[in-house]
Structure formats: structure tokens, C-alpha cells
Amino acid sequence: SEPFFGVQLAGTDAEEMAWAAALVEARGVDLVDVNLGCPIDGFTRKGMGAALESQPRRVARIVSAMKAAVAGVPVTIKMRLGWNDAMRNYLDVARAAEEAGADAIFVHGRTRTARYRQAADWDAIAEVAAAVSIPVVGNGDLLFPHEIDEALLTSGCAGVMVGRGALVKP
């Protein structure tokens, strides 16, 4: 009964991701998202999810191929800040996605190795919002309405995404 339906795809091959994007578009989705954020070992061992962030050019190829394959739905990415604190290449990934035609960027404010053990870095999310001209949606540690208001005010994000907060007290 939701009025909006998006699909997140995970993969490493641009042609396969383009095929999958076209398939879900034909089924009526409103948005197609590229998963660059999943920290789970089973995903990252296969080069998917957060592992893709180490390859901004591959991210650009995937986004570009998906954009070419769909006619009427936005293509977005959901990313983290990088693999670990030594490899926080989030600005490179964000710019590569934007240059390839991404319509928006969802940023989880942690690295892959941080998982959920460290606080989200909203200063880094704000850097992404300032570095690109497409909408940026911030994500991480938003549990209460006043935190959402503060995140929007200080980050420059177009919106926020709530994950665990929605599970704690919807």
C-alpha cells in the first residue's frame, strides 16, 4: 500500500546491473538504488556492497550503465564513508557517481569496518552534500525528531533516512 516503491540492487558487473535496473523499471518501481553500503562479509567477499567503494571508476561504470538502461526512474546510490578510517574515499565515490549520472546519494555516516559501533560522522555527510550538486540524504544515529531537525540544519542534506530508529520506536 506504499505510494512509492524503490529497489536496491547489489552487484559488481555494470551490464548485469543495467539489465536488473531495466527489469525492475519494467515492473513499475519508482527508484533504483545501487548498494554500496552493505558491510556484511558475505557481500563484501564477493566485491559487492561496501567493497565497491574502493573502486570509484567501477561505481561510475555501474551508475552510467544503469542510467542508460532506464528511461523514467531515478538511479541513486547508498554509500558509506569508505572501507575503514584509513580509506575514507567518500568524496571520490560521490563525485564519480554524480558524474556518471546518479540522481541522488544516500550516505551512511560510517565506514564499513565501523559497522554500527561508532557514532555516525555527520560532518563527513555534510562534506558530501557540499561537494555535489545532486540531492544528498544523510543516514545514521537518528532516533528522535529533534535529531532529524538538527541533522538537516547542520548537514545541508536534502533529507534524512532513518534505519534503526524506525525499528526502535516506529
Side-chain angles (χ1 to χ4, degrees):
S1 66
E2 296 279 340
F4 185 91
F5 184 68
V7 171
Q8 186 179 68
L9 301 173
T12 60
D13 182 88
E15 288 181 23
E16 286 180 0
M17 292 289 280
W19 176 84
L23 177 67
V24 296
E25 181 189 35
R27 301 293 194 269
V29 301
D30 298 299
L31 173 140
V32 181
D33 185 71
V34 181
N35 181 332
L36 304 178
C38 184
I40 305 302
D41 294 336
F43 260 53
T44 58
R45 270 196 292 276
K46 295 176 183 176
M48 296 185 294
L52 267 176
E53 286 193 51
S54 65
Q55 303 172 58
R57 287 190 303 245
R58 178 175 264 184
V59 169
R61 285 193 302 273
I62 290 170
V63 169
S64 180
M66 290 172 69
K67 284 293 289 183
V70 298
V73 299
V75 174
T76 64
I77 66 165
K78 169 108 188 302
M79 59 180 278
R80 285 181 174 254
L81 299 179
W83 186 258
N84 57 32
D85 282 335
M87 190 177 182
R88 289 173 56 121
N89 62 337
Y90 53 94
L91 292 178
D92 294 334
V93 173
R95 288 181 180 126
E98 178 184 36
E99 289 171 12
D103 295 291
I105 299 172
F106 294 77
V107 183
H108 183 106
R110 295 182 180 86
T111 64
R112 185 270 183 176
T113 57
R115 304 265 177 146
Y116 302 97
R117 293 183 297 268
Q118 297 172 350
D121 184 346
W122 278 88
D123 291 336
I125 295 170
E127 285 181 57
V128 176
V132 297
S133 61
I134 58 177
V136 172
V137 176
N139 174 231
D141 298 334
L142 300 176
L143 302 175
F144 303 101
H146 71 277
E147 294 170 334
I148 292 170
D149 295 339
E150 179 68 20
L152 286 170
L153 183 68
T154 61
S155 69
C157 286
V160 297
M161 179 178 177
V162 177
R164 289 177 297 147
L167 296 174
V168 173
K169 187 175 182 183

